[in-house]
Amino acid sequence: MKKRFNLLVLVFIFTCVSSYAQQALFGGQPIVSPEINADNSVTFRVLAPNAEKVLVTGDFLPTEKVQSPMGEMEAPGKAEMTKDEKGVWSFTSEPLESELYDYSFVIDGFTTTDPSNPYVIRDIASITNYFIVGGGKADLYMVQDVPHGSVTRRWYDSPGLNMDRCAVIYTPPGYENSTEKYPVLYLLHGAGGDEEAWFAHGKATRILDNLIAEGKVKPMIVVMPNGNVIQDAAPGEGRDNFVTPAFMIPNTMDGTFEANFMDILKFVESNYRVKADKADRAIAGLSMGGFHSMHISRYYPNTFDYVGLFSAALLPREDATGKVYSNIDETLKQQKKNGYKLYWTGIGKTDFLYDANKEFRAKLDSIGMEYTYMETDGGHIWRNWRIYLSEYLPLLFK
């Protein structure tokens, strides 16, 4: 009888603990958010019974004009949510085109993530949720049933910067089991980003896997370095540990990164099976990374046959007075004389850098440098940069 009593006690305790654990894990009633409906509209829900006003904000809504340190820019729009009798607020969007979208909730003025959606992206110091509407171009950004490449975080010695630094490096499917040599793309992030930006927010490795599987892109190694020269790695991953991410870090656009870029190129060509020649090297970047790509490719004018400028930050800078930024026209002319296979540039119609990019294209025209140009809707946004990468990759190493 005593044994039976002990067994019943144990069952009771286990049941209580199990019930508590489930409650802690799932936090009460299940809420589906976001829910992608049959017509590609999306329903957002959040439980906030005591809230007086709840908004959803994201790039699936019409943009708003806001003032920023860079001037007037577009920001994600906002929409009011409706509260039901259970305290659940909801909003259903219009049908959306196939794309990757970011969003957040604003609960009584406090911006927060969706507790029902575990998928988040860090962009500088902001954390937002995201979702993907498939059935179109965004299928490239999703994991498909295709061979996958490998992604590693590699530390390399940079004598010019006097530190070991981190880069995210993609090797194509089959690299580990082959003896083949591969071409290399150096893919650079924007201001406030780091070596994780193209991998996390740009979905670059998924795009590569899917386009390689479709036979549209030649297998290649892609190197995503950290363009912030005072950092050894992304915030939380380097020697400074949990430093707060910042938009503009000292020395990021003063020529230091460009002048020491050969440190990473030498590391890659010494440690990976690559074709170490101009015809098999490409460089591209978004915003600040486009600025870096333009200057690196002309400062080392016989190094890259492929150059990509995605919404490049080509505005004149007061600190752009070093050796790297001297004789720009002459080095561009030398780059042209040496020959190249592709000079690609893209910009959004409402990008705050639109006029600066227009002026740069006029400079290229004046010296007879041929280029490929793409103009898209929207502004200075990841949506455009993923499109530009998807358009740029199939043109490489032909």
Side-chain angles (χ1 to χ4, degrees), residues 295-340:
H295 288 297
I296 290 167
S297 66
R298 62 156 194 83
Y299 189 66
Y300 304 103
N302 207 27
T303 304
F304 300 95
D305 256 351
Y306 303 87
V307 179
L309 312 182
F310 306 163
S311 309
L314 299 170
L315 293 171
R317 295 184 56 82
E318 294 180 359
D319 56 358
T321 57
K323 181 180 178 182
V324 169
Y325 304 130
S326 62
N327 302 318
I328 292 177
D329 288 358
E330 290 76 7
T331 51
L332 282 171
K333 290 175 183 177
Q334 187 62 52
Q335 188 175 8
K336 175 195 171 188
K337 182 179 178 181
N338 292 340
Y340 55 87

Side-chain angles (χ1 to χ4, degrees), residues 2 44 78 124 129 186 200 208 237 257 272 285 375 390:
K2 186 176 181 180
F44 304 87
K78 297 182 179 69
I124 310 178
N129 293 102
Y186 295 86
L208 283 154
E237 300 293 341
F257 180 69
Y272 288 83
E375 189 169 290
S390 302

